[in-house]
Amino acid sequence: MIHVGLNHFLVVSTILFSLGILGIVSRKNAVMVLMGIELILNSANINFIAFAKFGNFGFQGQIMALFVIILAAAEAAIALAIVLNIYKTFSTVNVDEIDTLKD
Amino acid sequence: MNVYDLIFYLFAAITILSAFFVVTTRNIVYSAYYLLFTFFGVAGIYVLLGADFIAMVQLIVYVGGILILLLFGVMLTNKITNVDIKSGTIHTVPATIGVALFAGIILASMWNTNWKNVNSDMQVASTQHLGFLLIHQYALVFELLGILLLIALIGAASMARK
């Protein structure tokens, strides 16, 4: 058995990223698409922190991960407001049925 | 194979399995609950990487904030009375094939690249250093992010109540 190193963390983050992409492209519900985006942001964060530890970059990578988490919070709030507006206008949140810009 | 490796495999299994269920479960409320386990697993991986403060922030912001927001989104945008909470899928087969190809390429390159590997044993408490960096080197970014969060709050509130 190999000792757990940088590559193991990168593999986990890659699988998380791919699952997030799969969620975005294959699910209809807009909230589900948001969950896929959160998975992708988490995988990017794992990469930042893993490279910060194994590349000996000090705490710069952890600071970047902190900023990503802050931006994810702002993004989730805005996206939820947009989804609520879409639901009010179209009575559905399935992204394949929302195809008009003007009502 | 020591305890560190065992704990890593445990958290990696939790993260990946629950992320898989997030993507594949039909019921979107179940997806949101599986996302909880994914966030916990990722927080455990952060702890293994010596980022204790980030792990706590992950638990507080993601589990306490973003996940609740997503659940609100699910509850507010589904007709609960019609039991229409299932979410459909489109283009499942081409999406799976494309994502599998993509994942294979990235995994191969990630695994085979000879990354710089110093493994500084950062077994120090990170909170003090992060706070120091935030008010010295990254002070401007910190302030800008505060303004951004304020704008996002005002924008979300004014968009949602229209």
Side-chain angles (χ1 to χ4, degrees), chain B residues 92-155:
Chain B
T92 316
V93 176
T96 312
I97 295 172
V99 167
L101 273 176
F102 171 80
I105 293 168
I106 302 283
L107 278 178
S109 62
M110 285 287 190
W111 190 259
N112 291 323
T113 308
N114 196 11
W115 300 106
K116 174 186 175 188
N117 199 339
V118 188
N119 198 0
S120 58
D121 262 331
M122 287 203 303
Q123 301 297 348
V124 288
S126 63
T127 312
Q128 185 190 357
H129 300 273
L130 286 181
F132 186 79
L133 275 178
L134 270 183
I135 56 169
H136 280 257
Q137 195 175 347
Y138 293 98
L140 180 63
V141 187
F142 185 60
E143 299 291 332
L144 284 178
L145 280 173
I147 295 171
L148 179 95
L149 275 179
L150 179 68
I151 293 172
L153 191 71
I154 296 171

Side-chain angles (χ1 to χ4, degrees), chain B residues 10-147:
Chain B
L10 178 72
F11 278 125
I14 290 175
T15 306
I16 290 170
L17 276 181
S18 56
F20 182 76
F21 285 130
V22 168
V23 177
T24 52
T25 311
R26 302 281 297 175
N27 192 326
I28 194 162
V29 179
Y30 290 171
S31 290
Y33 282 119
Y34 279 122
L35 204 59
L36 175 75
F37 291 100
T38 309
F39 289 153
F40 269 116
V42 173
I45 289 177
Y46 291 164
V47 171
L48 285 180
L49 285 168
D52 51 346
F53 182 71
I54 306 289
M56 282 303 119
V57 169
Q58 161 98 0
L59 285 187
I60 294 169
V61 173
Y62 267 103
V63 178
I66 294 177
L67 198 62
I68 302 298
L69 268 182
L70 287 176
L71 270 174
F72 273 178
V74 174
M75 302 290 182
L76 288 174
T77 59
N78 276 291
K79 306 174 192 71
I80 304 289
T81 47
N82 294 355
V83 199
D84 189 24
I85 213 152
K86 302 251 188 296
S87 155
T89 56
I90 43 168
H91 308 314
T92 316
V93 176
T96 312
I97 295 172
V99 167
L101 273 176
F102 171 80
I105 293 168
I106 302 283
L107 278 178
S109 62
M110 285 287 190
W111 190 259
N112 291 323
T113 308
N114 196 11
W115 300 106
K116 174 186 175 188
N117 199 339
V118 188
N119 198 0
S120 58
D121 262 331
M122 287 203 303
Q123 301 297 348
V124 288
S126 63
T127 312
Q128 185 190 357
H129 300 273
L130 286 181
F132 186 79
L133 275 178
L134 270 183
I135 56 169
H136 280 257
Q137 195 175 347
Y138 293 98
L140 180 63
V141 187
F142 185 60
E143 299 291 332
L144 284 178
L145 280 173
I147 295 171

